[in-house]
Amino acid sequence: MLVTGTDTGVGKTITTAAIVAAAQTAGLKVAVVKPGQTGTATGEPTDVETIARLAAPHTARTLVTYPDPLAPLAAARVAELPALDFDSVADAVRAEAATHDLVLIEGAGGLLVPMGLRPAGEVWTCADLAVALGAPAVVVARPGLGTLNHTALTLEALRRREIPAGVVLGSWPAQAELVHWFNLSEMVPNLLGVLPEGAGDMDGGVFRRSAPGWLTPELYGVLDDWRAWAEEIS
């Protein structure tokens, strides 16, 4: 399963951790693969380190790291390092799939961000990886103003490639406004979950116990009534 987003900073890493926690609570053996981690020179925790702290997946791997906080292909070029090889990434995911019930692939930025190069030199994206692996996608989006267009464009790109997809709102504010409620209502047909703002700051044990309540059964959670959810938090 590919976890992508409408943009960078929308909550992909915390959403990935939440899916891990819910799936493992449901009894699945879960692996996380991050094909390319950029920005390691900043000294901030990597995405895989954050997922491990919050959700403790059975396996968590970063395949390649780059120092600059850029798209993976650009970061490779700036650092004069080898670009992510498409076949190597696909093979790594397939290898984890052979020994796990679920493999989550966390992308970088949005769906069509340049990730690396194919053997013949063509640029590849996470959309290409999902097609090659036959993987469904989870699109993480912001709940605020501007998200409907970005989300619709991402879902349309996935539909054109015949990739099944749903949406998770990555950071629901404690004080939701009209725009947030309207956007949520518009997304309900595709909505697979809503994560609370600040979920990434939780203690790991609290996060793992809470995560199933943020996600629908399609993502191994227990959230099955949006009306009841809205009444509970409003």
Side-chain angles (χ1 to χ4, degrees):
M1 181 181 291
L2 171 68
V3 182
T4 187
T6 55
D7 197 355
T8 189
V10 295
K12 288 189 301 297
T13 298
I14 310 305
T15 298
T16 302
I19 299 170
V20 170
Q24 292 192 155
T25 298
L28 277 64
K29 183 179 179 182
V30 183
V32 175
V33 175
K34 178 79 175 181
Q37 175 70 60
T38 64
T40 56
T42 66
E44 296 293 319
T46 66
D47 293 341
V48 160
E49 288 170 345
T50 297
I51 293 166
R53 175 179 63 82
L54 292 172
H58 185 272
T59 301
R61 298 177 58 192
T62 302
L63 301 184
V64 177
T65 62
Y66 300 109
D68 297 289
L70 303 167
L73 181 55
R77 287 170 171 165
V78 168
E80 299 183 344
L81 293 170
L84 270 168
D85 174 67
F86 181 82
D87 291 339
S88 297
V89 173
D91 288 346
V93 174
R94 292 189 184 103
E96 298 301 340
T99 57
H100 295 80
D101 301 308
L102 173 67
V103 181
L104 296 171
I105 309 153
E106 189 191 338
L111 180 69
L112 302 183
V113 163
M115 294 292 294
L117 298 174
R118 294 177 182 268
E122 304 99 331
V123 174
W124 65 271
T125 69
C126 282
D128 298 319
L129 187 62
V131 170
L133 296 171
V138 174
V139 178
V140 184
R142 294 185 178 91
L145 192 64
T147 200
L148 293 180
N149 181 59
H150 295 160
T151 304
L153 288 170
T154 304
L155 291 174
E156 180 176 315
L158 289 162
R159 281 195 296 270
R160 286 177 176 272
R161 293 165 173 80
E162 299 183 347
I163 301 170
V167 178
V168 171
L169 295 178
S171 184
W172 185 259
Q175 301 295 324
E177 300 177 1
L178 176 62
V179 64
H180 303 114
W181 289 111
F182 179 81
N183 287 344
L184 182 139
S185 68
E186 289 292 298
M187 292 188 192
V188 162
N190 296 303
L191 201 57
L192 300 178
V194 177
L195 273 61
E197 191 175 53
D201 297 326
M202 289 181 175
D203 168 79
V206 174
F207 183 93
R208 291 189 285 275
R209 290 191 296 272
S210 303
W214 304 330
L215 304 171
T216 65
E218 292 90 337
L219 293 181
Y220 314 100
V222 297
L223 177 55
D224 59 3
D225 186 339
W226 286 111
R227 183 180 296 275
W229 173 85
E231 291 174 352
E232 180 179 339
I233 68 166
S234 61

